[in-house]
Amino acid sequence: MKVRDGETVKAQVEQASSRILEMMKIEGKVTDTGAVTVRCADYDSGEEVYRARHPWSVYQVPVSDMEKAMDRLRNGLPKKGWEIVKDGVDESAAKSPQIVAESKGQEYAVDVRLLDERKYGDDPSLIEVTVQSACYRAN
């Protein structure tokens, strides 16, 4: 496992998020809390093992535009060095469209879901995106 600087990893995850938003080519409001560092749940050996995680959403956009943005990701991610490992629906009752991809070197993963208000009731439609790094040891 690589030893990495946490601030650098967070910045790289945010850059990956920006590139994904660019690929989506969607106009709307974007939440952005910035990347955070979290402990890797996969490692329970007492080691200081972390990952950077950056959740964000795009909203106030017609669902038809969100569907087109998902299609642009299906086409664009592989061209930008990502391998799509899941393209289908999530396990929610609404069976929301979901794309999961990993960077070719597997340094990063992205999970993208289209949450349609027609299936969720009162919540507004949005595309929910989470980009995260592979686990690393802090230096």
Side-chain angles (χ1 to χ4, degrees):
M1 177 176 317
K2 291 183 179 179
V3 174
R4 302 184 67 192
D5 174 67
E7 292 303 313
T8 301
V9 175
K10 285 195 316 189
Q12 290 170 341
V13 165
E14 289 176 356
Q15 289 170 356
S17 286
S18 294
R19 289 191 297 271
I20 288 165
L21 180 59
E22 289 168 9
M23 276 185 252
M24 292 168 69
K25 295 180 183 167
I26 191 167
E27 296 292 325
K29 292 197 175 187
V30 179
T31 62
D32 190 4
T33 56
V36 295
T37 301
V38 296
R39 289 187 73 97
C40 277
D42 303 345
Y43 294 89
D44 197 21
S45 63
E47 290 184 87
E48 298 290 315
V49 180
Y50 303 96
R51 74 171 73 230
R53 194 167 186 276
H54 187 210
W56 52 276
S57 302
V58 179
Y59 61 102
Q60 290 190 353
V61 180
V63 172
S64 60
D65 289 352
M66 292 181 185
E67 291 168 339
K68 291 173 188 168
M70 294 288 281
D71 286 338
R72 285 190 283 276
L73 285 178
R74 284 182 185 93
N75 294 321
L77 285 166
K79 293 176 183 175
K80 297 291 185 179
W82 294 79
E83 178 185 353
I84 295 176
V85 295
K86 179 179 180 180
D87 186 358
V89 296
D90 68 11
E91 296 176 5
S92 70
K95 302 291 184 208
S96 297
Q98 179 184 29
I99 299 171
V100 178
E102 296 175 347
S103 63
K104 290 279 166 96
Q106 297 184 354
E107 298 93 356
Y108 306 100
V110 63
D111 183 335
V112 184
R113 299 172 198 231
L114 194 165
L115 306 181
D116 186 337
E117 66 189 347
R118 296 171 295 187
K119 296 179 181 179
Y120 280 95
D122 294 336
D123 293 334
S125 296
L126 57 86
I127 294 179
E128 179 182 83
V129 180
T130 302
V131 179
Q132 63 184 16
S133 71
C135 294
Y136 64 90
R137 282 194 188 98
N139 61 0

